[in-house]
Amino acid sequence: MERGVLFCPKWHSALWFLMMLCLFHAAKAEITCRSCQPGNKWRPRELLLKFDTSVSATGSKREVFGHGDGAGRIGAASAESRRLHCAAGSAECASDRAEDREPRQKRNTDNMRAKDDIGVNDTAKIKVSHLKMSGQKKSRDGAGFTNRHRKRARRSSGDGRVRTPVPAQSQAPGEDSSSAAGRRVKRSESRWSGEERRAAGQRQEEPKLNSSTFALTGDSSHNQAMVHWSGQNSSVILMLTKLFDFNLNSVTESSLWRSTDYGATYQKLNDKVGAKTILSYLYVSPNNKRKIMLLTDPEVESSLLISSDEGATYQKYRLNFYILSLLFHPEQEDWILAYSHDQKLYSSVEFGRRWQLVHERVAPNRFYWSKMGLDKEPGLIHLETSISEGQALYVTCKLQNCTDANKGKPFPGYIDPNSLVVQDEYVFVQVSTAGRPIYYVSAKRDVFTPMKLPKYTLPKDLHVISTDENRVVAAVQEWNQNETYNLYVSDTSGVYYTLALENVVSSMGPEGNVMVDLYEVAGIKGMFLANKKTDNQVKTHITYNRGRDWRLLQAPSKDLRGNSIHCLLPYCSLHLHLHVSANPYTSGNIASRDSAPGIIVASGSIGAELTTSNVSVFITSDAGNTWRQIFDEEYAVLYLDQGGAFVAIRHTPLPIRHLWLSFDEGRQWNKYGFTNTPLFVDGVLGEPGEETLIMTIFGHVSHRSEWQLVKIDFRSIFNKRCTEADYQTWHLHDQGEPCLMGVKRIYRKLKPTSRCVMGKTYSVSMTSGPCDCTEADFECDYGYERRTDGRCTPAFWFHPSSMSRSCTTGMSFLNSTGYRKVVSNNCSAGVSVEYTARKQQCPLQAPKGLHLVTSEGTLTATLGTNVTFLVFLEEGDGARTSITLDFGDGRAQTYSNVSSIEDGIKHIYKDVGIYRVTATGENSLGSETAVLYLHVTCQLEYIHLSAPFVAVRSKEVNLTAVLWPSQVGTVTYIWWIGNNTEPVITLEGSVACTFSREGINTVTVQVSAGNTILQDRKSIAVHEYFRSHLLAFSSNLDDHNPDVAEWRLDVSRVIKNSLIQATGVREDQLLVTVLPGLPTTAEFFLLPDKQLTEGKPVKNSAHLDQLSEVLLSALNQNLVQFTLRPGVQVTVYAAHLSAAPLVDTSENHSGSAMLMLLSVVVLGLAVFVIYKFKRKIPGLNVYAQMQNEKEQEMMSPANPTEATPSSQQDLVHSLEILDTEFNSRPGGCMKPHVHVKFSTELPTYIV
């Protein structure tokens, strides 16, 4: 595998890089960090570099992106990337910056952590799969950008001089070791001056590496590059350079380069891919490095260029969709999944030559290939598909035949969006119930089971970190944590979890994912490093037995200068920055290799806690037992020759021409020159594989120069090939304890004094011997906690007898002793019998702990849809316990045992209501019952508030809310009447109220049904008394009546004006409204004249009676007419069935007279409604009419244009009558083929 490092100077030449993780499937990168990924996962390898030049006309910046043998697509550079201030690219500008007393420019560091910003935007931490991801931003291809612009603190001595790197290098003859090690130089000495540049040709003899330089001529304007080394044992390197215009946010030029001699020379291939073709991305098959895929810029054309000969020749294929991300099959080299911008998933079995749609509405980064040995067939796809807001489904689908008939639904019910994680033999989903998440796991594609964390963990957040070695490591943020996570480890089923380490430091990654400070050491099984927060101090801890025991790191005994370091545990220790690079070609803060067990290189600090100042580089050769300081500045340290040698490159904003080499595990470092002309280094790409003896350094001489590619061949510096005499044995131990994970391990390692090449044929050799089991080989079992004396005892909430709940009578179960052996521990004998769970016969017990829930975890269901009930039994003989489920609607089902209903019980309700669902588990020893109250509802679509236009003061008025559909389930009515500040809340759709003051009163009703709240509002004119009468019209008006609110409003105004002209009634005393429906009818209202009633009895209605007679006389004589349009003359009549007076407020009427009056009114309204409802209107028009009925239709006599009435002279809403075609629409939920008859009664419990 290639090794690489990226550099980013902080100033004017503005070398900075944009690290991107090339993902075939972004969710894979979320599952674990690079250090914790299982061995069977393919990890993309690529180098991605970027540097910023002075602002040009295009506003472009220079970047380099590099591929290894990965196939992930690299996203476009962010347009928000910071432009650094120094525009010139000369060494003189570098000198000026070096002399500047201000802190250095911010820079982008993927390969070394910034010293003043712990835990922010570092992809080097463990990436974890979030079962419920929130607001996660991705690049357009699913690759994650890592933009880190941080202020780097200047580290200087008290006299203002810069501390230079002091490596443990070989001592010069006659030079005192202490003075050589402790030498400090002035700031002017640390920079490469113009005078030094002029004297470059007359330098004294110094060791130089075998290198060659190649310039990419003609690409000086290109500001992005992507590099790929074809693979192990191949000399082919591909490089794609691009000009990305940040103003246009697109690629405007590109060049493709190819080398066949390990990067010594390159050939431009633009003619082979098309001179006018603009390339944007490069992919490589992880299973066959000879297969290359190039993607064109979709702004110009959407095409793929495919090569099967390591990029020598290409064929172009058109695409009809826009690729965001790719996922290659782990074994089939031609099988690819492509995710498009419109949430569609496509598949190809011909390496992109043909594509087929697999599924729509697929969640981003939530699709996975099947795993051989676990899934039924190799062409199976696991994916999460979106159903609605807040709901998703876990679906399995065949690669070439994803039809509804072939889809599988492994989880019976909805899951939370962005929660599906398929990793190794485990599948995880999340379901939220009542605001609390429930996490489910399936091991080996078996049924899903809730994950069992300690009872009062109450997680706010949970992430899966690792699933290797047949167990799950999860990071859980508990209810009382904000910035830290607790680590839990599971048994092999992934169900039962115990605490491994508390308060592990975390931070947010660049893609919004959680980064946990946990590092798995390569080459040593069971060894981890973690940063734990204790009393607001971050300290590094180490474990050798998968988290069973943790301890602090012993600091080095001496510093670089040989001075003693007084650091006593536990008050002082060594602390490390545990940030590996998300890109395998960049160095992070810590590195280890499988080919070099026991060797770890990391940056950190010594003291009471981890700090971001005074960071040095440390190395251990004995797996963390002892450490040595090798640099006191930031260096990128890379492994050469499978860990037989190391190369170090300083992080600096200045151009460099040297690097450092060590052949004795970092004890001595030698300085070598790799180029004659100092180079601003952008990054390093290493030869694929662990051998890594050839590297390519990318950089440039100035901001306008071409890309300079320096190939370095390290083979010439080694004396010979390693022989058996060059190796020694090394015993792994933990502070002298050789038995780790139940075995004694002895490794064969290269002697520090041997300077030889191990070569490609070298493999790690290890022998192991068995160890007797001790208490240290066992961790506390689920439900048990470790006390201060080291014993595991039951937690206060745990009942050990409950562990036998899955027992079947006549069978046996393992009765826990409170301990379980650490996963992958191979100890034997010893105390194994004492601590191992004992086999016991399953006890006979009655069912206990019966649970009944819906698959969605809700207490509501929609009428006419399938409801899936899930029944769980905590204790009892499930095989001999029958389950009876009474659905509460008169139907019930009985099942012989619990296992027969693992997939749930489905039922469809045909009526709205609240149902008492009962599950009963029964066997020969007893029974258990669980009850669930299920609300079956319909979707509320429309409400209408029925209220009078005019009301009498202090007289009761009925207000009615009419619903559509009429029965939707449990409904709450909220009434806001007049100026009341508190609402009236009822379960009935009608209320009675009175208005104590005259004027315009507003009534608002809100109806709450399920998750839906609708409202309607009406205005009522309140007076001491009034008169009203219904109006009719000549039949020609019906021919021009569109029956819309706006038309009725305009006609009401015309009728009012005609009445005033014919009778002389004052404008402020007359209200007119046209009623909905056909035939066209209207109503006028006569209001009291305030000028005449002042000082007189308020109930004197004689004047209104006179006006009413005048109006009726004019109507009966056909004096009221108006012209609707030329040639259409409409006559207004008094209706024969008069509703006037609707209300008579005089005190002279007897009770019988009032009853007779009301009877006449009711009869008149009934005849009117029957007559009005004769005309049939299509349902679509009816719906539009009902919506428009909410608009104001009453003309105010004083101000007909006012929108909101505030007095009797303002507009008053006309009476809105429900549409004539209610009887033409179904009376239930608007579901296909569902017709339900509803009553107006409040839903009650049905038993």
Side-chain angles (χ1 to χ4, degrees):
M1 182 174 72
E2 300 94 319
R3 297 286 175 256
V5 57
L6 303 183
F7 296 88
C8 42
K10 299 172 280 190
W11 52 285
H12 68 286
S13 170
L15 285 142
W16 54 283
F17 57 85
L18 174 59
M19 284 297 306
M20 297 176 48
L21 178 58
C22 227
L23 306 178
F24 294 152
H25 192 277
K28 288 288 185 184
E30 296 165 2
I31 291 172
T32 62
C33 69
R34 182 170 140 71
S35 69
C36 298
Q37 289 196 1
N40 62 347
K41 288 183 178 295
W42 176 82
R43 293 188 292 270
R45 304 181 177 106
E46 58 187 56
L47 174 66
L48 308 111
L49 314 169
K50 172 179 178 181
F51 75 86
D52 191 1
T53 66
S54 59
V55 179
S56 63
T58 62
S60 62
K61 306 173 183 180
R62 175 164 294 191
E63 305 170 347
V64 180
F65 304 94
H67 274 274
D69 60 347
R73 173 174 170 184
I74 302 174
S78 170
E80 292 81 15
S81 299
R82 179 179 296 276
R83 300 175 184 275
L84 301 184
H85 303 315
C86 192
S90 64
E92 287 77 11
C93 189
S95 301
D96 294 339
R97 287 299 296 169
E99 292 175 352
D100 194 348
R101 294 293 179 181
E102 295 300 320
R104 297 177 180 176
Q105 288 281 349
K106 292 183 180 180
R107 67 178 178 122
N108 192 330
T109 90
D110 262 288
N111 49 347
M112 190 65 72
R113 181 168 190 159
K115 292 185 168 50
D116 56 18
D117 196 2
I118 287 184
V120 180
N121 291 340
D122 279 285
T123 59
K125 298 183 186 177
I126 291 184
K127 279 193 173 183
V128 296
S129 61
H130 194 177
L131 293 187
K132 180 175 174 58
M133 303 295 286
S134 57
Q136 183 174 357
K137 293 185 179 179
K138 292 283 182 181
S139 61
R140 49 179 259 181
D141 62 337
F145 287 86
T146 308
N147 292 319
R148 305 188 188 97
H149 302 281
R150 298 195 179 98
K151 182 84 70 177
R152 177 180 173 186
R154 177 173 34 172
R155 296 181 300 279
S156 60
S157 60
D159 58 0
R161 293 177 295 178
V162 175
R163 289 162 53 186
T164 59
V166 187
Q169 62 183 16
S170 54
Q171 181 178 342
E175 184 179 3
D176 179 72
S177 60
S178 61
S179 62
R183 178 177 180 269
R184 296 173 182 260
V185 296
K186 295 181 179 180
R187 178 177 293 272
S188 59
E189 295 177 22
S190 68
R191 65 176 183 266
W192 185 67
S193 65
E195 185 176 1
E196 182 185 1
R197 183 175 67 253
R198 289 190 296 272
Q202 292 81 28
R203 295 181 185 275
Q204 295 180 354
E205 288 298 324
E206 61 181 13
K208 290 186 178 180
L209 296 171
N210 184 11
S211 64
S212 61
T213 302
F214 185 88
L216 300 184
T217 306
D219 285 355
S220 60
S221 63
H222 289 192
N223 52 12
Q224 292 182 354
M226 301 164 59
V227 187
H228 160 72
W229 200 319
S230 182
Q232 195 167 358
N233 300 323
S234 174
S235 61
V236 175
I237 300 177
L238 290 175
M239 185 169 185
L240 173 64
T241 65
K242 301 177 291 183
L243 173 60
F244 187 88
D245 193 315
F246 287 84
N247 295 327
L248 300 177
N249 197 30
S250 64
V251 178
T252 57
E253 294 180 16
S254 68
S255 295
L256 182 64
W257 299 82
R258 184 172 186 262
S259 171
T260 58
D261 52 8
Y262 291 95
T265 60
Y266 287 82
Q267 177 188 4
K268 200 170 187 177
L269 301 182
N270 282 27
D271 292 338
K272 293 188 177 182
V273 299
K276 296 184 178 180
T277 300
I278 299 178
L279 303 174
S280 57
Y281 301 102
L282 184 150
Y283 300 85
V284 183
S285 170
N287 302 302
N288 185 350
K289 307 305 186 297
R290 296 180 59 85
K291 292 188 174 182
I292 311 294
M293 181 183 295
L294 296 171
L295 188 64
T296 61
D297 189 343
E299 298 292 332
V300 180
E301 62 173 331
S302 186
S303 300
L304 284 177
L305 288 95
I306 298 174
S307 172
S308 300
D309 52 10
E310 293 188 281
T313 60
Y314 294 88
Q315 292 178 309
K316 181 180 285 189
Y317 297 88
R318 293 284 183 179
L319 290 174
N320 58 4
F321 62 95
Y322 175 25
I323 294 178
L324 284 181
S325 62
L326 291 180
L327 179 66
F328 287 77
H329 194 277
E331 297 171 359
Q332 300 291 335
E333 62 186 54
D334 291 335
W335 290 13
I336 311 173
L337 295 178
Y339 187 72
S340 69
H341 66 290
D342 53 357
Q343 293 188 319
K344 294 180 180 179
L345 187 66
Y346 296 84
S347 67
S348 174
V349 294
E350 303 177 52
F351 199 71
R353 292 173 177 84
R354 292 183 181 86
W355 295 92
Q356 178 178 332
L357 178 64
V358 176
H359 208 286
E360 298 181 347
R361 295 177 63 102
V362 176
N365 308 318
R366 301 293 172 179
F367 46 93
Y368 309 84
W369 284 110
S370 59
K371 184 176 178 62
M372 290 296 294
L374 291 174
D375 294 288
K376 296 179 180 179
E377 51 187 290
L380 200 66
I381 304 169
H382 301 263
L383 58 91
E384 177 187 310
T385 177
S386 302
I387 300 301
S388 61
E389 185 71 25
Q391 288 185 328
L393 279 178
Y394 167 29
V395 175
T396 57
C397 211
K398 291 185 178 180
L399 176 63
Q400 295 292 304
N401 188 19
C402 189
T403 61
D404 290 336
N406 291 324
K407 290 180 185 177
K409 295 182 180 178
F411 186 81
Y414 296 119
I415 65 175
D416 291 351
N418 297 313
S419 70
L420 174 65
V421 175
V422 180
Q423 185 170 329
D424 296 327
E425 64 182 54
Y426 300 98
V427 181
F428 305 88
V429 297
Q430 173 183 313
V431 177
S432 293
T433 303
R436 292 181 58 181
I438 301 176
Y439 303 98
Y440 291 86
V441 62
S442 167
K444 297 181 179 179
R445 307 302 189 257
D446 204 346
V447 296
F448 280 88
T449 305
M451 296 168 63
K452 296 292 186 179
L453 294 162
K455 186 173 183 179
Y456 295 106
T457 299
L458 304 179
K460 295 191 298 185
D461 197 15
L462 184 146
H463 305 267
V464 175
I465 290 183
S466 173
T467 56
D468 61 339
E469 299 288 345
N470 298 318
R471 62 114 195 220
V472 178
V473 178
V476 179
Q477 189 172 69
E478 302 188 16
W479 62 274
N480 57 349
Q481 292 178 306
N482 293 318
E483 298 178 353
T484 60
Y485 281 74
N486 290 348
L487 292 181
Y488 287 87
V489 294
S490 76
D491 60 352
T492 55
S493 69
V495 174
Y496 297 101
Y497 291 79
T498 59
L499 181 65
L501 186 64
E502 291 183 295
N503 295 319
V504 179
V505 175
S506 71
S507 63
M508 294 301 295
E511 301 167 9
N513 52 318
V514 174
M515 314 294 290
V516 180
D517 266 13
L518 177 68
Y519 180 79
E520 183 174 5
V521 178
I524 306 293
K525 183 176 70 172
M527 183 176 175
F528 289 83
L529 292 161
N531 282 331
K532 177 181 178 180
K533 193 171 187 179
T534 305
D535 297 330
N536 291 322
Q537 291 183 328
V538 177
K539 301 175 181 289
T540 301
H541 292 70
I542 188 170
T543 179
Y544 295 87
N545 53 8
R546 291 192 174 275
R548 163 63 170 82
D549 300 290
W550 297 84
R551 65 171 175 83
L552 296 170
L553 296 179
Q554 178 64 58
S557 59
K558 295 182 181 296
D559 62 12
L560 282 178
R561 298 160 186 82
N563 301 320
S564 296
I565 299 177
H566 301 284
C567 185
L568 299 178
L569 293 173
Y571 311 103
C572 174
S573 59
L574 174 64
H575 311 285
L576 304 177
H577 294 287
L578 305 179
H579 307 277
V580 301
S581 173
N583 189 314
Y585 302 109
T586 61
S587 70
N589 294 105
I590 186 169
S592 59
R593 295 289 182 269
D594 290 326
S595 60
I599 300 179
I600 308 171
V601 182
S603 62
S605 60
I606 299 173
E609 62 177 328
L610 181 67
T611 64
T612 56
S613 60
N614 297 322
V615 174
S616 301
V617 182
F618 300 88
I619 190 170
T620 178
S621 302
D622 56 4
N625 285 281
T626 61
W627 294 81
R628 301 186 307 276
Q629 184 180 11
I630 56 176
F631 295 105
D632 63 357
E633 287 237 274
E634 290 181 305
Y635 272 73
V637 181
L638 304 172
Y639 286 68
L640 286 179
D641 189 31
Q642 310 203 54
F646 294 90
V647 58
I649 304 177
R650 184 186 178 193
H651 290 299
T652 174
L654 308 177
I656 63 173
R657 54 183 299 273
H658 295 98
L659 50 77
W660 299 80
L661 283 170
S662 175
F663 303 94
D664 56 1
E665 298 178 345
R667 291 175 175 83
Q668 290 185 331
W669 292 86
N670 301 299
K671 185 177 182 181
Y672 287 83
F674 66 89
T675 179
N676 291 326
T677 303
L679 195 69
F680 293 100
V681 177
D682 300 318
V684 178
L685 179 66
E687 177 186 10
E690 296 291 337
E691 183 184 21
T692 312
L693 289 174
I694 299 176
M695 287 184 176
T696 299
I697 294 181
F698 301 86
H700 58 285
V701 177
S702 68
H703 74 288
R704 294 191 180 277
S705 67
E706 284 84 3
W707 296 105
Q708 304 291 321
L709 310 181
V710 181
K711 171 194 170 185
I712 304 175
D713 191 339
F714 293 97
R715 290 175 293 186
S716 62
I717 64 175
F718 291 93
N719 300 326
K720 60 175 183 175
R721 280 277 178 180
C722 295
T723 63
E724 192 61 34
D726 294 308
Y727 294 95
Q728 65 180 5
T729 58
W730 170 66
H731 297 257
L732 174 66
H733 65 94
D734 175 14
Q735 293 183 326
E737 173 55 55
C739 285
L740 301 176
M741 297 297 291
V743 294
K744 298 177 181 179
R745 282 173 277 182
I746 303 174
Y747 294 87
R748 187 184 71 154
K749 292 179 59 176
L750 190 67
K751 294 178 180 178
T753 57
S754 297
R755 182 168 174 174
C756 58
V757 176
M758 290 189 288
K760 292 180 170 59
T761 59
Y762 169 78
S763 61
V764 176
S765 175
M766 183 195 74
T767 58
S768 60
C771 290
D772 289 340
C773 290
T774 65
E775 190 269 342
D777 295 309
F778 293 84
E779 61 190 4
C780 291
D781 203 351
Y782 172 77
Y784 292 81
E785 296 175 339
R786 190 173 300 279
R787 304 302 180 185
T788 55
D789 59 2
R791 295 186 304 111
C792 295
T793 58
F796 73 93
W797 49 265
F798 181 67
H799 303 286
S801 62
S802 66
M803 296 302 291
S804 63
R805 62 186 174 279
S806 59
C807 260
T808 301
T809 303
M811 305 296 289
S812 61
F813 76 103
L814 294 176
N815 188 15
S816 176
T817 62
Y819 299 85
R820 69 186 185 194
K821 186 184 287 187
V822 175
V823 175
S824 301
N825 189 295
N826 296 317
C827 73
S828 60
V831 299
S832 179
V833 175
E834 179 182 349
Y835 286 92
T836 302
R838 302 176 178 88
K839 182 178 292 187
Q840 293 184 3
Q841 291 295 316
C842 293
L844 296 175
Q845 53 183 347
K848 185 178 180 180
L850 190 67
H851 297 276
L852 174 63
V853 296
T854 62
S855 59
E856 292 81 9
T858 62
L859 298 176
T860 62
T862 302
L863 185 70
T865 61
N866 254 323
V867 183
T868 301
F869 295 97
L870 303 177
V871 180
F872 301 102
L873 182 63
E874 286 190 5
E875 299 181 32
D877 187 351
R880 298 172 185 250
T881 301
S882 64
I883 300 295
T884 300
L885 189 62
D886 187 339
F887 300 106
D889 59 352
R891 286 170 288 181
Q893 293 183 11
T894 301
Y895 301 87
S896 59
N897 52 59
V898 176
S899 60
S900 61
I901 56 174
E902 289 179 345
D903 294 333
I905 304 171
K906 293 181 171 55
H907 185 67
I908 297 177
Y909 288 91
K910 298 181 179 180
D911 295 295
V912 168
I914 304 176
Y915 294 87
R916 186 177 187 267
V917 185
T918 306
T920 303
E922 185 175 8
N923 62 21
S924 59
L925 297 178
S927 63
E928 177 87 353
T929 300
V931 178
L932 180 149
Y933 295 98
L934 184 69
H935 294 241
V936 179
T937 62
C938 265
Q939 177 67 36
L940 179 62
E941 298 180 10
Y942 172 78
I943 69 169
H944 167 78
L945 175 58
S946 177
F949 299 110
V950 185
V952 177
R953 187 173 67 88
S954 300
K955 290 288 185 178
E956 192 172 81
V957 174
N958 287 323
L959 306 174
T960 302
V962 183
L963 311 184
W964 178 256
S966 60
Q967 187 68 286
V968 294
T970 305
V971 178
T972 303
Y973 300 86
I974 304 159
W975 306 86
W976 302 85
I977 301 173
N979 293 325
N980 293 340
T981 58
E982 296 293 333
V984 176
I985 301 176
T986 68
L987 297 178
E988 297 289 346
S990 298
V991 296
C993 65
T994 59
F995 298 96
S996 59
R997 67 177 182 84
E998 294 189 58
I1000 301 300
N1001 288 269
T1002 301
V1003 177
T1004 300
V1005 62
Q1006 294 179 323
V1007 180
S1008 174
N1011 294 326
T1012 302
I1013 297 180
L1014 300 179
Q1015 76 173 30
D1016 193 12
R1017 179 181 289 111
K1018 289 292 184 293
S1019 293
I1020 302 174
V1022 178
H1023 296 278
E1024 286 291 336
Y1025 48 86
F1026 65 90
R1027 296 291 182 269
S1028 66
H1029 202 288
L1030 291 175
L1031 302 176
F1033 304 92
S1034 55
S1035 59
N1036 59 346
L1037 182 59
D1038 291 345
D1039 298 332
H1040 301 277
N1041 184 356
D1043 202 17
V1044 295
E1046 292 83 0
W1047 184 89
R1048 292 192 290 272
L1049 188 64
D1050 291 334
V1051 172
S1052 298
R1053 184 178 63 254
V1054 173
I1055 296 171
K1056 177 181 177 180
N1057 292 334
S1058 300
L1059 286 171
I1060 293 174
Q1061 293 177 4
T1063 62
V1065 177
R1066 291 179 49 176
E1067 184 178 2
D1068 58 353
Q1069 289 188 265
L1070 182 63
L1071 298 177
V1072 177
T1073 182
V1074 176
L1075 304 177
L1078 292 173
T1080 308
T1081 55
E1083 187 174 8
F1084 72 80
F1085 297 87
L1086 286 172
L1087 306 179
D1089 187 346
K1090 291 297 183 180
Q1091 297 178 3
L1092 297 178
T1093 58
E1094 288 182 0
K1096 298 181 180 180
V1098 295
K1099 294 187 178 180
N1100 184 0
S1101 59
H1103 180 66
L1104 288 186
D1105 292 336
Q1106 294 175 2
L1107 289 180
S1108 179
E1109 291 297 330
V1110 172
L1111 286 171
L1112 291 175
S1113 175
L1115 292 169
N1116 292 332
Q1117 298 178 41
N1118 298 335
L1119 299 179
V1120 182
Q1121 297 181 347
F1122 63 91
T1123 301
L1124 186 66
R1125 60 172 57 182
V1128 180
Q1129 189 75 13
V1130 179
T1131 303
V1132 184
Y1133 307 99
H1136 295 294
L1137 293 176
S1138 174
L1142 289 177
V1143 179
D1144 195 330
T1145 57
S1146 65
E1147 298 176 347
N1148 299 325
H1149 295 292
S1150 65
S1152 59
M1154 181 64 71
L1155 180 62
M1156 181 179 295
L1157 175 61
L1158 292 177
S1159 300
V1160 172
V1161 171
V1162 172
L1163 179 62
L1165 287 175
V1167 173
F1168 167 72
V1169 170
I1170 293 173
Y1171 177 69
K1172 175 177 175 290
F1173 274 39
K1174 285 182 180 179
R1175 179 176 176 183
K1176 301 293 183 181
I1177 303 175
L1180 181 63
N1181 294 334
V1182 171
Y1183 180 76
Q1185 171 187 316
M1186 290 192 299
Q1187 296 289 355
N1188 291 328
E1189 290 309 317
K1190 296 182 181 181
E1191 302 184 21
Q1192 194 178 56
E1193 298 180 10
M1194 177 67 66
M1195 291 304 302
S1196 170
N1199 189 0
T1201 62
E1202 187 67 27
T1204 304
S1206 58
S1207 67
Q1208 75 170 44
Q1209 295 180 342
D1210 294 333
L1211 294 178
V1212 180
H1213 285 292
S1214 65
L1215 177 63
E1216 299 185 16
I1217 298 178
L1218 290 179
D1219 192 85
T1220 60
E1221 282 305 303
F1222 272 176
N1223 59 354
S1224 69
R1225 301 177 62 180
C1229 287
M1230 300 302 293
K1231 302 291 182 184
H1233 313 297
V1234 177
H1235 298 274
V1236 183
K1237 182 178 180 180
F1238 299 99
S1239 69
T1240 57
E1241 299 177 355
L1242 183 70
T1244 58
Y1245 289 99
I1246 302 174
V1247 296

